[in-house]
Amino acid sequence: MLGSSLLSCKHLLFSTSGACRPLSSQACDPLRILFCGSDEFSIVSLRALHREKHFHPGLIASIDVVCRPPKPVRRNLEAVREGHPIYQHAPVPAQGPINLVIAVSFGLLVSPRILKLAKYGGLNVHPSILPEFRGPAPLHHTLLNGRRTTGVTLQTLHPTRFDGGKTIDQTPYPGIEHGAETVEDLRDVLAPMGADMLVQSIRNYSFVPPIQQASESEAFQTSTVLTYASKVGPKDRHIDWATWTATDILRRQKVIGPLWNTTEAQVSDGCGHRRVLKRIIWVQGLRHLEGGSHIFPAVGHPVVVGLHGSEQMVCIRTCDGNILVADNVKIEGQIMIEASLAARRTGLVPISANLGALRQSSHDFVAFHARLT
């Protein structure tokens, strides 16, 4: 595995005389870089380093690349290797001991022994204005929190903590207006900024000890409540209809993809009818519907609307009084189908299969058995 290989093979990467020592901030040895990356954000920095090596070979002597298997992005790292060796394990450098480690969106801690033996330690590009959105998912949480401005930070690699190093450079607070609504869009804005900051630091030798810590702006200190950017998981996709507004829900599905809930369904077996919990995945998302809130019984209680027409819709009222429509859904144990049809087939509404009986009702809608949970 990469973790055990990279963290244990110091004798392959470094000479025993490679410990850090205070140097002039105006010069350094030719850099033999170990670049650690795992995704599209890191590829932009790798390309920038390659260009810098091409135009200034006296500054960067070599670049060895380590990526995390088995992510498909390795194919993209292969595409931009440009002659640089790429590994899924600790490499054996051909041009001497590594003297600088650069980790960009790598997701693993680099061994303290490796950082200590690398003459210039390590650098990291982080897509937020630290200490705000410290953690593994800064792009997601910037968007989930509705922040319209952000930036990047260049920091040293801490031997035992993520995002715990010294800040070398960062975008001045409050950052730039990014205009992004998806993680991919925000990544495409910040990745070039981070790559440029990294290359500029290498040109300026600002990574050479003694390192001058960048000062935090007074405005940032007094106006920002810090948010930790935790890894996004299933709980972040679970809609809380009691507290999430329509804006919250629509924003979340743009940022992290399909959301989900559970609700009660009525199923028949040899012993009669019984209620079971079913998970509903809003696979094609929810969309806003103007008007009609007067017919909905309660927040988070889905209603099949349009029984007397040719088309039916599943609509849900949010806590701020808006109406969201589900087009196609996936019910637990079923394939993705049209939402109102799924509700009837799986017993989510009182008359599960008899649409004719529903149409004979004086109402043009029927509610699910239970609210969404």
Side-chain angles (χ1 to χ4, degrees):
M1 296 296 292
L2 173 62
S4 59
S5 301
L6 181 60
L7 302 185
S8 63
C9 297
K10 68 175 183 179
H11 61 283
L12 297 177
L13 293 167
F14 305 100
S15 68
T16 57
S17 62
C20 291
R21 57 183 176 84
L23 297 173
S24 165
S25 61
Q26 300 303 311
C28 69
D29 298 338
L31 295 176
R32 294 178 297 277
I33 295 171
L34 179 65
F35 183 90
C36 306
S38 67
D39 61 15
E40 300 287 348
F41 184 86
S42 58
I43 287 172
V44 179
S45 288
L46 179 57
R47 287 186 183 275
L49 289 172
H50 168 72
R51 289 192 297 269
E52 190 67 11
K53 178 180 181 293
H54 176 75
F55 290 111
H56 300 99
L59 180 58
I60 300 177
S62 65
I63 303 174
D64 291 271
V65 181
V66 172
C67 65
R68 293 178 58 184
K71 290 189 175 182
V73 77
R74 181 176 184 271
R75 295 193 297 269
N76 294 327
L77 285 169
E78 289 276 13
V80 299
R81 61 188 293 177
E82 307 288 2
H84 308 309
I86 184 168
Y87 309 92
Q88 292 184 8
H89 52 78
V92 181
Q95 301 186 44
I98 296 294
N99 58 17
L100 178 65
V101 180
I102 298 176
V104 182
S105 193
F106 187 48
L108 295 174
L109 283 173
V110 178
S111 166
R113 292 175 295 172
I114 290 178
L115 292 178
K116 183 177 179 181
L117 293 172
K119 188 173 186 178
Y120 305 116
L123 296 175
N124 167 252
V125 177
H126 187 84
S128 78
I129 304 176
L130 289 173
E132 175 73 324
F133 298 123
R134 184 193 309 272
L139 298 177
H140 295 79
H141 286 274
T142 297
L143 296 173
L144 290 176
N145 283 272
R147 300 291 175 82
R148 305 313 302 169
T149 60
T150 189
V152 294
T153 299
L154 181 68
Q155 61 178 334
T156 62
L157 286 173
H158 193 279
T160 60
R161 300 196 311 271
F162 288 109
D163 302 326
K166 292 182 178 180
T167 298
I168 295 177
D169 195 7
Q170 67 181 175
T171 309
Y173 181 80
I176 63 161
E177 290 274 354
H178 57 78
E181 294 186 345
T182 67
V183 170
E184 292 75 20
D185 289 343
L186 186 56
R187 177 200 66 201
D188 291 344
V189 172
L190 295 183
M193 291 176 57
D196 290 345
M197 186 175 288
L198 174 64
V199 169
Q200 194 61 48
S201 174
I202 288 176
R203 290 174 182 172
N204 295 340
Y205 307 111
S206 58
F207 60 93
V208 177
I211 293 173
Q212 299 297 316
Q213 169 114 4
S215 60
E216 189 176 291
S217 74
E218 183 177 347
F220 184 89
Q221 295 174 11
T222 58
S223 65
T224 302
V225 177
L226 299 182
T227 301
Y228 179 73
S230 57
K231 185 176 181 179
V232 174
K235 65 179 179 61
D236 299 294
R237 297 181 172 88
H238 188 182
I239 300 177
D240 181 355
W241 292 94
T243 61
W244 292 12
T245 66
T247 298
D248 294 331
I249 294 168
L250 297 176
R251 177 190 294 145
R252 278 188 178 251
Q253 68 184 17
K254 282 184 179 180
V255 175
I256 59 180
L259 309 177
W260 64 276
N261 284 107
T262 58
T263 191
E264 287 186 356
Q266 182 173 287
V267 297
S268 300
D269 54 25
C271 300
H273 299 291
R274 60 188 177 90
R275 295 284 186 89
V276 296
L277 276 180
K278 292 280 189 178
R279 175 175 287 203
I280 303 176
I281 303 173
W282 313 105
V283 286
Q284 287 195 327
L286 297 154
R287 57 185 174 85
H288 188 261
L289 177 69
E290 294 292 341
S293 61
H294 60 283
I295 69 171
F296 295 91
V299 171
H301 198 150
V303 172
V304 178
V305 179
L307 301 180
H308 298 153
S310 59
E311 295 184 2
Q312 293 78 46
M313 299 185 298
V314 171
C315 301
I316 313 163
R317 184 176 185 170
T318 62
C319 65
D320 59 339
N322 285 288
I323 307 302
L324 298 182
V325 177
D327 292 315
N328 293 307
V329 301
K330 185 178 187 304
I331 308 294
E332 182 181 349
Q334 306 289 325
I335 63 172
M336 182 183 75
I337 57 175
E338 192 272 325
S340 64
L341 180 60
R344 298 195 303 274
R345 284 185 176 179
T346 55
L348 299 180
V349 293
I351 305 175
S352 60
N354 191 343
L355 182 58
L358 286 175
R359 284 177 172 164
Q360 291 174 11
S361 166
S362 60
H363 299 292
D364 195 38
F365 65 91
V366 61
F368 279 29
H369 284 294
R371 296 187 187 188
L372 297 170
T373 55

